[in-house]
Amino acid sequence: MNFDLTPEQDQLRDAVRALGRRYGHSYFVEKAKAGEHTTELWHEAGRLGYLGVNIPTEYGGGGGGITELAIVSEELAAAGCPLLLLVVSPAIAATVINKHGTDEQRKRHLPGLADGSQKIVFAITEPEAGSNFHRLGTVARRDGADWLLSGRKCYISGVDQARHVLVVARTEDASTGKLKPALFIVPTDAPGLTRSKLAMEILSPENQFLLYLDEVRLPGDALVGESLEAGLPALFSGLNPERITVAAMGAGTGRYAIERASAYTATRKVWGGRTIGSHQGIAHPLAHAAVQVELARLMIYKAATLYDAGRDLEAGVSGNMAKYAAGEAAALAVDTAVQALGGAGMTTDYGVATLLGAVRAGRIAPVSREMILNFVAQHVLNQAKSY
């Protein structure tokens, strides 16, 4: 059992940390409040190869795995720049296309995903069905050699920054008449695809959208994979990377908050010559939060290691546990940091309260803590399915 990163992974971590700190949380907040995107950071990360670490070298990537992408996600977040589209584009879309796309789809999309010149976002969630693909209302039907997609999607991140959206729909199985999932690569400027921005109480440079698909016509090669049989495996292949990288982003955010609060409490003096951090009422909550973040990190890298080793079932359990642990730890860390900072914790300058909305959302999306507990109860504890 080895808890050390490889020398190459250590170098990646240090380099990404340095990049993130050159931009910092003030850059992130400034962009979010101006309604702009972190374009400069994204393009520099792409140019340096950090966005494509998990993409094969033959398509311009680094040839690594989800472990390397988790490092990138965590270290940028630890510098105060949690980039949600790292989860959506390199983790989900690139994994799906690399593992289940056609040769032509890989050649067309992976190089741009690797260097950051292209983003592909992901659309599964719907107003009625949530993320339950068994009940999705978005349907794809054949029309000659083409496909026609109709339906609605919600909480779709970054559509305004992407050329394509990976849409999860349902198609009719000719042999059974039942609907089965299929994934389609849809241009964001396709006729019949419209969007409206969702107003969110989260400070983020990445926006959320409602999508409306009204008989969106696509060519046959928009279907991910060689046939409809690729649909279900393709859908599931993106879930573990999603959970692992969003957990890494949460852990990095927790580290950032604790670092900010600890620097303050180690120097702030109110009662005589002692720092406020010397009092257990301040130090113990921060120490407790630090323990929870570190425990989450251990599960994150266990899940990433299992995933990269091809042990998908075990990675599914660990990935869900990592997402749960990191969501709870990040929310605890940010809340504890705000409390330790006192009134300063609610100011923009100290850069902690600006993360409250994001870490709260991390306990809900992309899968809620309750659904993870359902998963663990059923698949780990052998309890009857409760939903």
Side-chain angles (χ1 to χ4, degrees), residues 131-190:
S131 298
N132 181 0
F133 72 86
H134 295 290
R135 298 185 60 194
L136 294 181
T138 300
V139 175
R141 59 181 177 83
R142 279 286 193 186
D143 185 44
D146 294 343
W147 290 96
L148 291 175
L149 268 65
S150 293
R152 294 185 299 162
K153 300 290 182 180
C154 61
Y155 304 116
I156 310 306
S157 307
V159 180
D160 55 335
Q161 301 180 60
R163 295 184 201 169
H164 297 85
V165 53
L166 191 60
V167 175
V168 184
R170 299 181 73 197
T171 63
E172 185 174 351
D173 186 333
S175 61
T176 65
K178 295 181 178 180
L179 294 177
K180 57 195 299 186
L183 279 69
F184 296 86
I185 303 173
V186 182
T188 51
D189 61 356

Side-chain angles (χ1 to χ4, degrees), residues 28-286:
F28 181 88
V29 170
E30 180 184 343
K31 289 292 184 180
K33 288 192 171 182
E36 299 174 357
H37 307 304
T38 51
T39 306
E40 300 87 355
L41 173 55
W42 183 271
H43 285 317
E44 187 166 358
R47 179 176 59 80
L48 293 170
Y50 305 150
L51 302 180
V53 288
N54 62 312
I55 294 174
T57 55
E58 64 188 285
Y59 301 110
I66 293 302
T67 301
E68 284 74 20
L69 192 60
I71 290 170
V72 174
S73 183
E74 181 185 355
E75 291 306 323
L76 286 178
C81 298
L83 300 187
L84 178 58
L85 287 191
L86 266 173
V87 176
V88 178
S89 196
I92 301 176
T95 298
V96 168
I97 292 170
N98 181 48
K99 286 197 167 188
H100 300 282
T102 63
D103 287 341
E104 177 58 32
Q105 287 167 346
R106 287 191 283 269
K107 291 174 184 175
R108 188 186 313 161
H109 297 291
L110 291 181
L113 293 174
D115 66 18
S117 62
Q118 181 180 176
K119 299 185 183 85
I120 299 179
V121 296
F122 184 61
I124 182 172
T125 308
E126 295 186 358
E128 301 300 326
S131 298
N132 181 0
F133 72 86
H134 295 290
R135 298 185 60 194
L136 294 181
T138 300
V139 175
R141 59 181 177 83
R142 279 286 193 186
D143 185 44
D146 294 343
W147 290 96
L148 291 175
L149 268 65
S150 293
R152 294 185 299 162
K153 300 290 182 180
C154 61
Y155 304 116
I156 310 306
S157 307
V159 180
D160 55 335
Q161 301 180 60
R163 295 184 201 169
H164 297 85
V165 53
L166 191 60
V167 175
V168 184
R170 299 181 73 197
T171 63
E172 185 174 351
D173 186 333
S175 61
T176 65
K178 295 181 178 180
L179 294 177
K180 57 195 299 186
L183 279 69
F184 296 86
I185 303 173
V186 182
T188 51
D189 61 356
L193 177 63
T194 56
R195 67 185 188 230
S196 61
K197 185 178 174 182
L198 278 166
M200 304 291 291
E201 295 298 324
I202 299 173
L203 185 64
S204 173
E206 293 150 335
N207 299 314
Q208 301 292 314
F209 291 89
L210 290 165
L211 293 187
Y212 308 92
L213 299 101
D214 183 13
E215 297 285 272
V216 176
R217 182 173 293 276
L218 301 171
D221 63 2
L223 174 71
V224 173
E226 300 288 351
S227 72
L228 289 174
E229 299 307 312
L232 193 58
L235 174 58
F236 279 122
S237 71
L239 297 184
N240 285 339
E242 174 192 54
R243 282 150 174 68
I244 293 167
T245 50
V246 80
M249 185 171 67
T253 301
R255 284 173 50 203
Y256 167 84
I258 292 167
E259 180 180 318
R260 296 287 291 175
S262 297
Y264 178 85
T265 58
T267 57
R268 171 74 166 162
K269 295 179 180 179
V270 178
W271 302 285
R274 300 183 67 185
T275 62
I276 62 173
S278 67
H279 298 280
Q280 292 178 355
I282 300 293
H284 281 190
L286 284 172

Side-chain angles (χ1 to χ4, degrees), residues 306-318:
L306 290 169
Y307 180 84
D308 290 338
R311 295 160 65 178
D312 290 345
L313 290 177
E314 295 163 280
V317 173
S318 295

